[in-house]
Amino acid sequence: MTDLRDAAMSSKAWPFEEARRLLKRYEKAPPEKGYVLFETGYGPSGLPHIGTFGEVLRTTMIRRAFEVISDIPTRLICFSDDVDGMRKVPGNVPNREALAEHLQKPLTSVPDPFGTHESFGHHNNAMLRRFLDTFGFEYEFYSATEFYKSGRFDEVLKRAVERYDDVMKVMLKSLREERQQTYSIFLPIHPETGRVMYVPMKEVNARDHTITFDDEDGREWVLPVTGGNVKLQWKPDFGARWAALDVDFEMYGKDHSTNTPIYDRICEILGGRKPEHFTYELFLDENGQKISKSTGNGISIDEWLTYASTESLSYFMYLKPKTAKRMHFDVIPKAVDEYHQQLRAYAGQDAAARVNNPVFHIHGADVPESNMVVSFAMLLNLASVAHAEDKEALWGFIRRYAPQASPETHPDLDDAAGFAIRYYNDFVKPHRQFRRADEKEAAAMADLAARLRAYDGEVEDEALQTMVFAVGKEHGFEPLRDWFKALYEVCLGASQGPRFGGFIALYGVTETADLIDAALKGQLAS
């Protein structure tokens, strides 16, 4: 443990860099509350999505890193802003017409269109918790409804009344002049209709902690800010929540970054200490556009998990969080194979290397061994040439290549074989384009096929790769990558592929010679 902590204190892995920055927050004295508090937020107007997963996962990585370098206890809160008013009826729920009359009511006051929970907010909160539990996250769930109604927020809300002008001054600077005329940090919840109201304040009374306003019908109301009678606008709510809970760390996307000074200053005005922040870049779709859950572009978490494991998604989330990344289906095979490469490397690494390995941050101290004796990219190519429709067809080749492997002893490989069949049928097969070999390529491929038929050595990746390499060199391919590219395009219908020697060992020496012959006869190209 000492070696690990020493290595972590100098690690350049971003979770450790953030953890060390957080540790400096308490270098003079430990937190009075007795723990360091991490928080993530969730807007329950819709179902949890890939961004929710990424935010909780990355926060968990920093939390784990902090626990390596410090003995201060930690907690992680997932906070649901379920007092938020329902601004529009979601398009993906049943009984939409029945919801229309509940617009602008807090989500926990809107009936559940699915009929399974106390309210629509409760339903979505349950989905969030099930979602997080599926991935094994350790967290505590907080509901804003309970937070406002239980009195947990009362002291900070009273302080917001007492320091109303100071908080308003911060907010007004960020608003257009027209919006300034009617803006208030408080949103009263109408005592009769139950709707969240966006109305100006006639009076904010610091003596009895009440607000006075007129509703849409011109009737005047006086409400205490405590007891769940009001909610804060979302930007003040951010800072007020930090102050109320004494949050030490929260991360959010780049689209929030311009609001950070607002959140921080409001937290300080309300008696809190601003937390440490981490701003991550947003994910982009295949066209470089920001992924949006409302437009449905990009890839969802369910879609990713149709074609690959959770760990491969965690690996992708770990990589360069401050760099915008395309998140489309074509990134999946690379993420799967790189994840397993890192797993294999981890077993032989010392502490200094391990703390910089992504799998340490995905799994913590309990890093499993990889049993992927065949890469995902190789499985995709095997599915292509074998015309495999199920993973059992792939296992026929895998067993010959790795006799010690079976679905029971290599469950990751078994899962990957099933994923590869799905991925191949959905994304590779529709876009395969075989071409005919030119004269130079045909001569080299015919030579390779002949050598394969005469081969009597060990059916082993490196020996076969050396043979392929030698043929390309002897036939004057320069650079040699042009030779391998030709093999992929003529024999596999793709512009890139796995190490060809490994492919031969897996598919079979004679079978590969037959494949080359078929390609040269034009039987593969359309």
Side-chain angles (χ1 to χ4, degrees), residues 153 156 159-160 163-172 174 183 185 232-244 259-275:
F153 216 5
V156 167
R159 216 170 290 149
R163 303 173 188 178
Y164 182 76
D165 291 341
D166 292 334
V167 178
M168 281 291 288
K169 193 180 297 182
V170 173
M171 285 306 307
L172 292 177
S174 68
Y183 182 85
I185 63 170
L232 290 169
Q233 293 260 19
W234 70 274
K235 291 179 187 177
D237 183 84
F238 239 96
R241 193 165 71 230
W242 288 348
N259 296 322
T260 298
I262 296 172
Y263 305 153
D264 284 348
R265 185 66 192 121
I266 290 174
C267 174
E268 292 171 336
I269 290 170
L270 298 179
R273 181 185 181 187
K274 65 182 182 183

Side-chain angles (χ1 to χ4, degrees), residues 94-109:
N95 307 313
R96 296 185 67 227
E97 299 78 10
L99 289 188
E101 64 184 275
H102 299 283
L103 286 172
Q104 298 305 326
K105 287 184 180 179
L107 290 161
T108 45
S109 298

Side-chain angles (χ1 to χ4, degrees), residues 155-204:
E155 287 307 309
V156 167
L157 288 169
K158 290 177 181 178
R159 216 170 290 149
V161 173
E162 295 162 4
R163 303 173 188 178
Y164 182 76
D165 291 341
D166 292 334
V167 178
M168 281 291 288
K169 193 180 297 182
V170 173
M171 285 306 307
L172 292 177
K173 286 180 183 176
S174 68
L175 303 174
R176 295 190 302 272
E177 185 174 349
E178 181 182 353
R179 181 86 170 99
Q180 290 176 356
Q181 307 308 313
T182 59
Y183 182 85
S184 170
I185 63 170
F186 293 113
L187 301 179
I189 297 173
H190 198 288
E192 292 179 352
T193 67
R195 285 180 164 79
V196 179
M197 304 184 66
Y198 291 78
V199 292
M201 296 296 103
K202 295 175 72 173
E203 183 183 4
V204 177

Side-chain angles (χ1 to χ4, degrees), residues 153-361:
F153 216 5
D154 281 0
E155 287 307 309
V156 167
L157 288 169
K158 290 177 181 178
R159 216 170 290 149
V161 173
E162 295 162 4
R163 303 173 188 178
Y164 182 76
D165 291 341
D166 292 334
V167 178
M168 281 291 288
K169 193 180 297 182
V170 173
M171 285 306 307
L172 292 177
K173 286 180 183 176
S174 68
L175 303 174
R176 295 190 302 272
E177 185 174 349
E178 181 182 353
R179 181 86 170 99
Q180 290 176 356
Q181 307 308 313
T182 59
Y183 182 85
S184 170
I185 63 170
F186 293 113
L187 301 179
I189 297 173
H190 198 288
E192 292 179 352
T193 67
R195 285 180 164 79
V196 179
M197 304 184 66
Y198 291 78
V199 292
M201 296 296 103
K202 295 175 72 173
E203 183 183 4
V204 177
N205 192 322
R207 292 187 304 278
D208 59 7
H209 303 106
T210 59
I211 56 172
T212 303
F213 62 94
D214 290 343
D215 66 15
E216 298 96 329
D217 298 324
R219 290 184 296 168
E220 183 177 277
W221 297 87
V222 179
L223 292 179
V225 296
T226 54
N229 289 294
V230 306
K231 80 176 294 288
L232 290 169
Q233 293 260 19
W234 70 274
K235 291 179 187 177
D237 183 84
F238 239 96
R241 193 165 71 230
W242 288 348
L245 290 168
D246 192 12
V247 173
D248 292 298
F249 180 91
E250 180 150 357
M251 68 163 54
Y252 36 74
K254 184 181 177 181
D255 49 348
H256 276 275
S257 60
T258 55
N259 296 322
T260 298
I262 296 172
Y263 305 153
D264 284 348
R265 185 66 192 121
I266 290 174
C267 174
E268 292 171 336
I269 290 170
L270 298 179
R273 181 185 181 187
K274 65 182 182 183
E276 305 302 318
H277 315 296
F278 182 87
T279 304
Y280 56 86
E281 266 287 359
L282 304 177
F283 290 111
L284 309 175
D285 67 10
E286 61 180 327
N287 300 313
Q289 301 297 310
K290 187 181 85 167
I291 286 178
S292 165
K293 62 180 176 181
S294 60
T295 58
N297 59 333
I299 180 172
S300 73
I301 194 161
D302 289 332
E303 288 169 331
W304 185 294
L305 298 181
T306 299
Y307 304 106
S309 66
T310 310
E311 292 80 9
S312 64
L313 177 57
S314 298
Y315 174 82
F316 186 81
M317 288 286 180
Y318 172 86
L319 299 174
K320 297 181 180 178
K322 287 187 175 290
T323 301
K325 294 195 292 293
R326 283 179 64 259
M327 190 169 197
H328 196 60
F329 294 100
D330 57 2
V331 306
I332 292 176
K334 186 170 184 281
V336 172
D337 284 339
E338 287 185 359
Y339 164 71
H340 281 280
Q341 286 168 14
Q342 297 288 3
L343 276 185
R344 288 190 289 272
Y346 186 86
Q349 290 175 332
D350 60 15
R354 285 184 167 186
V355 295
N356 288 314
N357 189 322
V359 299
F360 177 88
H361 301 280

